Amino acid sequence: MKQLLYSIAERRILRAEWPEMAAPVSPGSIVKPFTALAYAEAHQYFYPDHFCRGAADRCWWGRGHGKTGIRDAVAHSCNHYFRQLARALPPHVAPGLLARFGITVPEADPDTQIGLGAGWRIPPEALAGAYAELLSRPADPGIFPLIDGMRRAARYGTARALGPGYLAKTGTGPNAKLDGDGYAVIAYPEAAPRELVLLQAPGVTGARAVSLFTR
């Protein structure tokens, strides 16, 4: 397992067990909050509800998430919800917004923009820095619902192995030799996070990667 400990306040790596740190990764659903924020900026910071029918809507959860808003979409990483946001995202919005978070987004189809496949690659340090910036701006328009979604993820969503006291987002990226690579961003303490950990665990899902976390 690879692990990067990052100071949110100081915007720097505190400890890294991550060979080839300069090599970009495809972190799966970890990117979804940034696509959502780009959508919000283009739509007066309004997040809609969408109804997820599961497999019929090509969501990872076959039974579907039902009627879902942004907070539970983050918590449960609903593919259908974020795909709808990506489809309604004007092409000029995301690059400018994401540049403010230190990451770039490819010109791509909606699936790539929500982290499916290997098309969106980000260096680990840049990804940790982007989340540090996001978590440092809870009062900015559109951001608090995303942070609240990360809180719900740790309590009852895809990162529920953590429980209360954390903020988290999980993702599963492609791996040509294994079933996938599990990723997780875990920030703490919950109320005013000072540090975050970025994890990558080969051959497991993001939810399983969270269960391997030790503080």
Side-chain angles (χ1 to χ4, degrees):
M1 184 175 71
K2 300 175 184 177
Q3 183 168 286
L4 185 159
L5 177 64
Y6 196 91
S7 170
I8 295 173
E10 300 174 20
R11 299 293 200 280
R12 67 181 182 91
I13 295 174
L14 299 176
R15 185 176 69 251
E17 301 167 10
W18 199 303
E20 301 179 356
M21 275 281 294
V25 297
S26 300
S29 297
I30 295 289
V31 303
K32 285 175 177 173
F34 298 100
T35 295
L37 186 59
Y39 169 91
E41 185 167 275
H43 295 85
Q44 294 77 51
Y45 297 100
F46 170 76
Y47 291 109
D49 292 339
H50 287 292
F51 193 92
C52 172
R53 299 175 298 163
D57 287 322
R58 294 191 297 127
C59 189
W60 69 270
W61 183 243
R63 290 184 290 177
H65 294 108
K67 185 179 179 181
T68 304
I70 184 62
R71 289 169 168 83
D72 279 342
V74 172
H76 297 295
S77 202
C78 176
N79 286 348
H80 175 68
Y81 183 93
F82 289 100
R83 190 180 288 114
Q84 300 314 300
L85 299 193
R87 285 174 174 165
L89 182 59
H92 65 280
V93 173
L97 180 138
L98 295 179
R100 304 202 297 269
F101 289 86
I103 55 178
T104 58
V105 58
E107 293 185 7
D109 59 277
D111 279 7
T112 298
Q113 290 182 318
I114 66 170
L116 300 181
W120 192 350
R121 298 174 60 79
I122 305 171
E125 183 174 3
L127 187 56
Y131 265 91
E133 190 69 24
L134 184 78
L135 295 170
S136 297
R137 301 185 184 186
D140 283 13
I143 290 184
F144 181 76
L146 305 175
I147 295 176
D148 191 44
M150 294 176 67
R151 180 178 295 108
R152 296 182 186 201
R155 292 183 176 224
Y156 59 77
T158 58
R160 60 185 173 274
L162 293 171
Y166 296 91
L167 306 172
K169 182 70 191 80
T170 64
T172 305
N175 184 316
K177 298 180 180 179
L178 301 171
D179 290 338
D181 287 333
Y183 291 86
V185 172
I186 302 166
Y188 50 84
E190 175 187 310
R194 296 188 299 271
E195 295 176 348
L196 67 80
V197 172
L198 174 65
L199 302 177
Q200 183 205 66
V204 301
T205 64
R208 175 61 179 155
V210 166
S211 70
L212 303 176
F213 168 71
T214 56
R215 187 165 169 180

